[in-house]
Amino acid sequence: MSTGSGAASAPAPDTDYSPPAPEPRKSSMFSSLKVRNYRLFFLGQVVSNTGTWMQRIAQDWLVLSLTGSATAVGITTALQFLPMLLLGLYGGVLVDRLPKRRTLLVTQTSMALTGVALAVLTLTGQVQVWHVYLAALAVGLATVVDNPARQTFVSEMVGPDQLQNAVSLNSANFQSARLVGPAVAGLMITGVGTGWAFLANGLSFVAPITGLLLMRARELYAVERAPRGKGQLREGLRYVAGRQELIWPIVLAGFVSTFGFNFPVYLSAFADDVFHAGAGSYSLFNTLMAVGSLTGALLAARRGTARMRVLVAGAVAFGTMEIVAALAPSLWLFALLMVPIGIFGMTVNVTANSSVQMATDPVMRGRVMALYMMVFMGGAPLGAPIAGWITDAYGVRAGLAAGGAVTAAAALTVALVLARIGGLRLSVGWHRGHPQVRFVPRQRQEEQLATAA
């Protein structure tokens, strides 16, 4: 059933400053895996995500082999991600109307068949570049519905108490596959060819489909579905625009994605132009960042709560570490900084995702999460050309520093806006012998000043 404007634990600006209640007990790092349905889902995604990363690598390699053109590789990537940018909000409308588990069975099956079809064409020597384009577009269209359905189905499996933990473990799952999938794909491509990598991806969907079929429907949390009707897309946009606890996390996530997450542009340039170290160092940078991202996701799972101050602090730290990395004088210092950058970047990602879900009425969650994912995923196509222009004109160090500065500035601006909405003021002082900077209620600060006088 609908729960009104959102869960009670939503990270809205604090306006009630009665004596604080005891902090909730932290959940264990893997507490949501105690839920049988989510455990089946998680294990299926471990296999499927690995296959997805394998197909990404094999797909790009195949297109490059067929055409010898980097532009063709870019077209393939665009065909896979543009549907989400153009149609993502409509996908959210559909997800709010449809049963999530059945929807995922359809989308996961369609992506499995796409992988198998591409494998057959490649293994039989019949594949042409337009086949790969068509497969990428088909996966992109399925993702329009699959992405918001997977995001919102998590809450139906685990409920509000375990939502933050489950979202964090999903991110850890994805980052683990990011470490394993490309390595396995490289071995398969060099050993037996790209066709077998496509086949492995197609077969990997057997795991999540089996998990969905084995779930116990009676153990899912009941969620009211939106009825069919006109104007539901506009209704979703108005819903977000009227809620501070939704609009600001989405805005901040958009700034971080657009200006802070342009690592394909920056890391290759640092490896080649700054440190003159070649492809090996580029791979090292990405691996260390993936390690940091995995660590950040696990730490978020352990933390167990999604608070706006964690989101803002994570974004400030992420932007600051990018500025520090831009000034790094040596390759090894730059490489080591990829770990905290990955940690703070994943902290922003997980906290924004879970806080938006927790603050959203379940009947609206598909549309809200579709908007969130469209903003977050759409940042890269918008920000990459800007990052590339700054890098070409002023150097890669300036590009990375500028991205970090915009990210940190956006986070501080959001913090000030929320503080103003919540009637807070900046307080600078000492606590147990240490400097402390925090926002306090304006009334409390005035009482403290009056007492001191």
Side-chain angles (χ1 to χ4, degrees):
M1 296 179 65
S2 173
T3 59
S5 61
S9 56
D14 292 331
T15 56
D16 184 5
Y17 285 92
S18 56
E23 285 290 324
R25 183 173 57 86
K26 291 184 179 180
S27 60
S28 66
M29 188 174 290
F30 302 101
S31 58
S32 56
L33 291 178
K34 296 176 183 177
V35 180
R36 179 182 180 274
N37 284 342
Y38 179 70
R39 188 163 62 247
L40 290 169
F41 177 85
F42 182 87
L43 294 174
Q45 292 299 310
V46 167
V47 179
S48 178
N49 283 337
T50 302
T52 298
W53 275 105
M54 291 172 63
Q55 174 141 329
R56 286 187 185 181
I57 301 300
Q59 178 178 273
D60 292 347
W61 184 261
L62 177 60
V63 170
L64 194 60
S65 300
L66 291 172
T67 65
S69 169
T71 301
V73 176
I75 292 173
T76 307
T77 302
L79 288 171
Q80 187 161 332
F81 289 100
L82 276 177
M84 187 64 191
L85 302 182
L86 300 177
L87 304 173
L89 292 176
Y90 295 97
V93 172
L94 288 175
V95 166
D96 280 336
R97 294 176 181 173
L98 300 173
K100 310 296 188 298
R101 186 161 67 123
R102 295 180 195 171
T103 301
L104 287 171
L105 283 170
V106 173
T107 57
Q108 298 279 291
T109 300
S110 66
M111 288 190 279
L113 293 175
T114 300
V116 171
L118 198 54
V120 170
L121 288 169
T122 306
L123 291 172
T124 58
Q126 303 299 314
V127 69
Q128 299 179 37
V129 69
W130 70 268
H131 293 142
V132 187
Y133 288 165
L134 187 61
L137 180 61
V139 170
L141 290 172
T143 302
V144 168
V145 177
D146 184 82
N147 203 314
R150 277 189 296 107
Q151 296 283 336
T152 57
F153 188 50
V154 173
S155 63
E156 294 188 25
M157 289 184 284
V158 302
D161 292 341
Q162 294 290 347
L163 181 59
Q164 159 82 8
N165 183 265
V167 170
S168 303
L169 290 183
N170 282 350
S171 298
N173 186 329
F174 184 80
Q175 295 303 323
S176 300
R178 179 183 171 188
L179 289 171
V180 175
V184 176
L187 292 175
M188 292 193 72
I189 291 170
T190 56
V192 293
T194 55
W196 294 102
F198 293 137
L199 183 61
N201 175 56
L203 296 178
S204 74
F205 284 96
V206 172
I209 291 171
T210 301
L212 289 167
L213 292 173
L214 291 176
M215 286 182 185
R216 296 169 181 163
R218 65 181 181 275
E219 295 179 7
L220 295 173
Y221 286 76
V223 172
E224 179 184 348
R225 296 206 300 270
R228 294 179 62 88
K230 294 183 179 180
Q232 290 181 323
L233 178 57
R234 292 191 300 273
E235 180 187 10
L237 294 175
R238 286 196 300 268
Y239 179 85
V240 172
R243 286 164 173 77
Q244 305 290 343
E245 67 272 23
L246 295 179
I247 190 67
W248 293 112
I250 292 175
V251 167
L252 183 53
F255 269 95
V256 173
S257 173
T258 301
F259 297 100
F261 278 10
N262 295 302
F263 296 110
V265 176
Y266 299 136
L267 298 188
S268 57
F270 266 95
D272 190 34
D273 300 335
V274 176
F275 299 120
H276 309 290
S281 61
Y282 177 64
S283 176
L284 175 65
F285 298 157
N286 281 283
T287 300
L288 290 175
M289 185 176 294
V291 170
S293 299
L294 176 59
T295 303
L298 293 175
L299 290 174
R302 182 180 178 83
R303 191 162 52 244
T305 56
R307 299 182 183 277
M308 195 65 199
R309 62 173 177 262
V310 175
L311 175 59
V312 170
V316 171
F318 176 72
T320 302
M321 293 307 299
E322 285 195 326
I323 296 172
V324 173
L327 304 175
S330 68
L331 183 148
W332 287 107
L333 178 57
F334 182 84
L336 290 175
L337 287 169
M338 293 301 102
V339 176
I341 285 175
I343 291 174
F344 292 124
M346 187 52 60
T347 298
V348 173
N349 189 353
V350 171
T351 307
N353 186 312
S354 54
S355 65
V356 168
Q357 288 208 52
M358 292 169 66
T360 302
D361 188 329
V363 78
M364 302 291 295
R365 195 167 280 153
R367 279 163 282 182
V368 173
M369 290 310 298
L371 175 62
Y372 170 81
M373 294 306 299
M374 188 181 73
V375 170
F376 193 79
M377 294 174 63
L382 296 175
I386 299 173
W389 174 78
I390 295 175
T391 298
D392 288 340
Y394 303 102
V396 65
R397 290 188 184 275
L400 181 58
V406 172
T407 297
L412 292 173
T413 301
V414 168
L416 292 173
V417 170
L418 290 175
R420 186 175 182 83
I421 292 171
L424 308 180
R425 295 180 64 179
L426 185 66
S427 172
V428 180
W430 290 84
H431 180 69
R432 296 180 180 177
H434 299 285
Q436 184 179 65
V437 180
R438 59 176 180 161
F439 287 103
V440 299
R442 186 175 290 110
Q443 181 180 0
R444 176 184 295 179
Q445 189 175 58
E446 290 171 354
E447 290 174 355
Q448 291 174 345
L449 290 174
T451 303

